[in-house]
């Protein structure tokens, strides 16, 4: 259970029916997972649990922000996180194959650590390209860096003998 006991959902002691829980994903939470693109973050999770005889339906919403770098200009930006996910826990003593949003636990189970489920939800919901214009303050890309990268690209191609040969062909 370690230091992250606060993300353990002790469903064994819950009565049947609906329950709600709130969690905070702190800076520490993000720092210890060190994703190559997500350097830091903070978020809140609202978890809704519906418990029945052999099944728990977990629906949760994550809201907050992560610190990352722009894929265009590489400057640091604060990216909004606003996503939701569902996880179904089936209590069974038969061996069955888990799926992305369906896991099987033995019938004598009474808790599940949600930390990595919350983290994966944040990561999987980030877009392929993280850009300044979509950041929390919707800023423009760093013009100096963009200009520098453009001019480097230009000098790269003009200095490339293969490229020069190709250009000669079309003369
Ligand atoms: Zn940018």
């Amino acid at each position: 259970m370690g230091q992250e006991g606060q993300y353990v959902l002790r469903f064994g002691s819950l009565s049947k029916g609906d329950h709600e829980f709130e969690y905070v994903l702190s800076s520490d939470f993000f720092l210890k997972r060190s994703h190559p693109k997500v350097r830091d973050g903070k978020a809140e999770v609202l978890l809704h649990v519906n418990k029945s005889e052999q099944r728990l339906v977990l629906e949760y919403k994550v809201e907050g922000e992560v610190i990352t770098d722009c894929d265009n200009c590489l400057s640091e930006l604060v990216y909004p996180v606003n996503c939701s996910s569902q996880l179904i826990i089936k209590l069974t003593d038969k061996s069955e194959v888990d799926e992305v949003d369906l896991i099987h636990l033995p019938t004598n189970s009474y808790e599940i650590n949600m930390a990595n489920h919350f983290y994966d939800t944040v990561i999987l919901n980030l877009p392929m390209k993280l850009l300044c214009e979509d950041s929390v303050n919707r800023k423009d890309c760093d013009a100096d860096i963009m200009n520098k990268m453009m001019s480097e690209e230009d000098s790269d191609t003009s200095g490339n003998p293969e490229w020069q040969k190709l250009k000669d062909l079309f003369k």
Side-chain angles (χ1 to χ4, degrees):
M1 196 157 86
Q3 295 164 309
E4 295 197 328
Q6 71 263 40
Y7 304 117
V8 174
L9 173 69
R10 293 180 183 81
F11 56 79
S13 54
L14 294 178
S15 59
K16 279 181 201 160
D18 296 308
H19 305 271
E20 276 192 345
F21 301 91
E22 284 174 42
Y23 303 88
V24 174
L25 308 183
S26 63
S27 190
D28 282 350
F29 177 89
F30 285 96
L31 290 177
K32 75 180 280 195
R33 288 177 168 76
S34 66
H35 185 272
K37 289 193 81 171
V38 175
R39 283 196 265 122
D40 201 347
K42 58 176 186 203
E44 284 176 17
V45 182
L46 181 65
L47 170 69
H48 180 267
V49 180
N50 179 272
K51 184 179 172 180
S52 52
E53 194 67 51
Q54 302 294 335
R55 206 169 84 125
L56 293 124
V57 179
L58 279 49
E59 288 171 314
Y60 52 95
K61 258 201 303 208
V62 189
E63 267 186 59
E65 51 200 37
V66 292
I67 310 286
T68 181
D69 295 318
C70 174
D71 283 313
N72 267 351
C73 71
L74 310 178
S75 64
E76 183 176 287
L77 56 86
V78 183
Y79 206 88
V81 171
N82 197 335
C83 52
S84 54
S85 190
Q86 192 190 56
L87 180 68
I88 294 172
I89 301 170
K90 223 173 130 183
L91 299 173
T92 174
D93 291 322
K94 283 187 244 162
S95 74
E96 288 185 66
V97 182
D98 288 347
E99 291 162 38
V100 178
D101 53 1
L102 171 66
I103 57 176
H104 300 87
L105 294 177
T107 48
N108 61 358
S109 311
Y110 54 89
E111 64 180 28
I112 179 172
N113 190 337
M114 293 300 291
N116 289 338
H117 293 284
F118 294 155
Y119 187 71
D120 290 347
T121 298
V122 172
I123 299 301
L124 291 173
N125 278 282
L126 289 174
M128 291 293 286
K129 250 181 181 279
L130 297 155
L131 300 172
C132 289
E133 62 186 37
D134 302 319
S135 68
V136 167
N137 29 0
R138 296 187 169 275
K139 54 177 184 170
D140 291 325
C141 278
D142 188 319
D144 290 345
I145 294 178
M146 291 301 279
N147 287 337
K148 200 164 164 260
M149 288 203 297
M150 297 282 250
S151 64
E152 268 169 20
E153 259 171 44
D154 284 349
S155 62
D156 274 0
T157 47
S158 61
N160 181 339
E162 290 300 318
W163 183 246
Q164 197 54 50
K165 259 189 255 169
L166 210 63
K167 273 206 243 175
D168 290 344
L169 274 179
F170 289 101
K171 264 182 192 163

